[in-house]
Amino acid sequence: GDNICGIHKTALLKHAGLNQSDLIYANFESSLEQSPYCIVVDHEWKSVVVSIRGTLSLEDCVTDVLVDPIQLDDFIDRWGFDESYIDDGRNGFIHSGVLRRVEWILSDLHRHKLLEKLMRDDYPEYSLRFCGHSLGAGIAVLLSLVYRKDFPNLKCFAFSPPGGLMTKDLAVRCSEFVCSFVLDCDLVPRLSVQSMSILRDEVLDLIARIKVPKFVIAESIVKDILGKDSNLNLNDYVHLNGPLPDSDLARQLERLKSVQERRRQDFRGPIIKLYPPGKIIHLVKVDEIRSCAHDFARCLTCWTSNVGYDYVPVWESNEALGEIEVSPTMYTDHFPNRVCLELEKVANQFRDKSIMGFAAYPSPVEFDIDAHV
């Protein structure tokens, strides 16, 4: 799947710091059914690692929006499942776009059978690890549920996984071996049909409550960003309490709510909510270093940079990320380079036993990141 110059393979080896002999297999093709992935051997951590790429191509974006839940019954009959989770699996649902990609990777893994050879013949003392980012994280979770019946000690690391991935029972049960990482206001782990509906309703409601022309609000926000005193008082700009003030937009919103309610009543099937998987470690922004250099970096990036911020890891429940947080970094917090950078910082802090002051925060204060790799 690489080009004639082998650029994809060279970039992978260079970026991951791997020797060519450590890269056992890589597929670089991307389509509506195929996801690029690779199998590498990490001798330092004595692990065989299956890593799946996240959303990058147009085909990946199409897969992301195929959010209709699909039951796992047929999938389990074809590929099997860890016995401990088979009841939750048969009663469970999953993101249909993710399931399509998983089917293709499973077919490819079964075709070349390299994974079984590596684990049973070449490196029997090594551990199996699945990992991925974004769409790749969702794929890695379902792959690990299939392979855990053969390799019960495997672990899965899901970086910025889709919020609408699987039903709650399965998402909670797989926390024994799945650990998800979410950076601050990242949009993707909060995305679901329900959270998008909530955001739409809240935004429309807020627009209907505005008292002043929109440019007045925009002017005040720009002044605040530039450090000028805009005397911004929400009560002067928005009707904060009570019913919506009468207007054409308010009447249109009432009609929209009536249509939505009728559709909910006409829909006879169950409303299936999907959640992010496993144990969730949320890197929460807690402090900001103010300096000219940091302010300049934020200005250049329209305040989407996380330069100069400190983060602390906290455990989150699978339901905790059910609403979208509107923030300047809600998109850029999803970038894999940012997630990697902040995780490395946190890991180094936990290695340094002299670091103090974390006791006030919820676990994983004692979480040993190295032990879970």
Side-chain angles (χ1 to χ4, degrees):
D2 206 347
N3 56 39
I4 194 170
C5 299
I7 291 176
H8 296 309
K9 178 181 177 182
T10 303
L12 171 61
L13 293 172
K14 185 72 174 176
H15 185 74
L18 295 169
N19 296 318
Q20 186 161 331
S21 60
D22 296 333
L23 179 61
I24 308 302
Y25 176 84
N27 169 70
F28 298 109
E29 292 287 344
S30 181
S31 70
L32 288 175
E33 293 186 348
Q34 297 184 54
S35 272
Y37 78 100
C38 64
I39 303 173
V40 301
V41 177
D42 187 337
H43 297 291
E44 181 180 357
W45 291 99
K46 294 186 179 299
S47 299
V48 174
V49 182
V50 181
S51 179
I52 302 97
R53 195 195 75 185
T55 299
L56 186 63
S57 66
L58 177 60
E59 292 87 354
D60 296 333
C61 295
V62 172
T63 299
D64 289 335
V65 300
L66 298 176
V67 296
D68 289 339
I70 185 170
Q71 198 157 11
L72 283 167
D73 260 355
D74 292 340
F75 176 83
I76 291 173
D77 290 337
R78 284 193 298 274
W79 299 105
F81 225 58
D82 184 341
E83 288 294 330
S84 303
Y85 303 89
I86 198 161
D87 290 337
D88 291 319
R90 289 197 179 279
N91 295 323
F93 289 77
I94 197 162
H95 185 296
S96 59
V98 169
L99 189 65
R100 177 188 293 184
R101 294 293 184 93
V102 171
E103 295 252 20
W104 182 87
I105 292 182
L106 282 171
S107 298
D108 199 46
L109 289 170
H110 278 249
R111 177 183 60 81
H112 56 62
K113 297 189 181 300
L114 285 173
L115 205 53
E116 289 80 358
K117 181 178 182 297
L118 287 169
M119 294 301 299
R120 290 177 176 147
D121 300 334
D122 299 343
Y123 303 102
E125 74 281 9
Y126 279 27
S127 302
L128 180 59
R129 300 286 184 261
F130 286 91
C131 66
H133 173 263
S134 190
L135 172 62
I139 295 170
V141 172
L142 196 51
L143 286 173
S144 64
L145 280 163
V146 173
Y147 273 93
R148 200 165 186 265
K149 66 182 184 296
D150 300 317
F151 306 103
N153 294 323
L154 71 76
K155 298 288 184 183
C156 176
F157 298 95
F159 301 95
S160 310
L165 181 63
M166 54 180 51
T167 39
K168 185 177 177 181
D169 288 345
L170 195 56
V172 173
R173 284 291 308 282
C174 72
S175 62
E176 294 179 38
F177 60 93
V178 175
C179 190
S180 295
F181 299 88
V182 177
L183 178 60
D184 203 45
C185 295
D186 188 350
L187 170 69
V188 173
R190 295 173 165 84
L191 271 182
S192 66
V193 174
Q194 289 77 23
S195 65
M196 290 293 289
S197 297
I198 292 171
L199 179 63
R200 176 202 60 205
D201 293 342
E202 289 180 348
V203 169
L204 291 174
D205 183 85
L206 180 61
I207 292 173
R209 292 179 179 276
I210 293 176
K211 300 178 181 178
V212 297
K214 311 298 184 295
F215 78 88
V216 175
I217 296 177
E219 182 183 35
S220 298
I221 293 173
V222 170
K223 286 182 179 179
D224 276 0
I225 290 175
L226 296 177
K228 298 179 180 180
D229 186 9
S230 66
N231 297 316
L232 180 62
N233 186 332
L234 283 178
N235 284 305
D236 296 334
Y237 295 85
V238 179
H239 298 279
L240 291 177
N241 301 312
L244 292 178
D246 186 52
S247 66
D248 289 340
L249 178 57
R251 288 188 288 273
Q252 290 173 6
L253 286 180
E254 288 301 320
R255 288 196 293 271
L256 174 62
K257 291 177 182 178
S258 299
V259 170
Q260 289 175 327
E261 185 59 32
R262 284 200 303 272
R263 286 180 176 175
R264 276 193 288 266
Q265 292 173 357
D266 293 341
F267 180 70
R268 302 188 182 281
I271 297 176
I272 300 167
K273 295 186 68 174
L274 302 179
Y275 298 84
K279 288 182 178 177
I280 299 175
I281 296 179
H282 187 193
L283 301 184
V284 180
K285 192 183 297 177
V286 293
D287 196 12
E288 177 183 0
I289 301 170
R290 298 307 301 265
S291 70
C292 292
H294 291 141
D295 287 343
F296 182 66
R298 281 193 284 273
C299 182
L300 285 178
T301 60
C302 297
W303 266 250
T304 61
S305 170
N306 55 1
V307 172
Y309 290 110
D310 287 332
Y311 297 83
V312 66
V314 298
W315 292 120
E316 294 283 14
S317 68
N318 300 81
E319 309 92 347
L321 303 176
E323 291 191 14
I324 296 170
E325 290 189 17
V326 178
S327 161
T329 62
M330 61 191 293
Y331 297 107
T332 53
D333 281 343
H334 188 64
F335 292 176
N337 59 315
R338 288 199 174 182
V339 178
C340 181
L341 176 65
E342 298 307 330
L343 279 174
E344 287 177 349
K345 288 180 182 178
V346 170
N348 289 332
Q349 288 175 342
F350 277 91
R351 289 190 191 103
D352 184 356
K353 303 302 181 183
S354 66
I355 295 283
M356 300 298 290
F358 284 93
Y361 295 98
S363 289
V365 177
E366 301 82 18
F367 181 78
D368 185 353
I369 291 179
D370 291 345
H372 287 70
V373 174

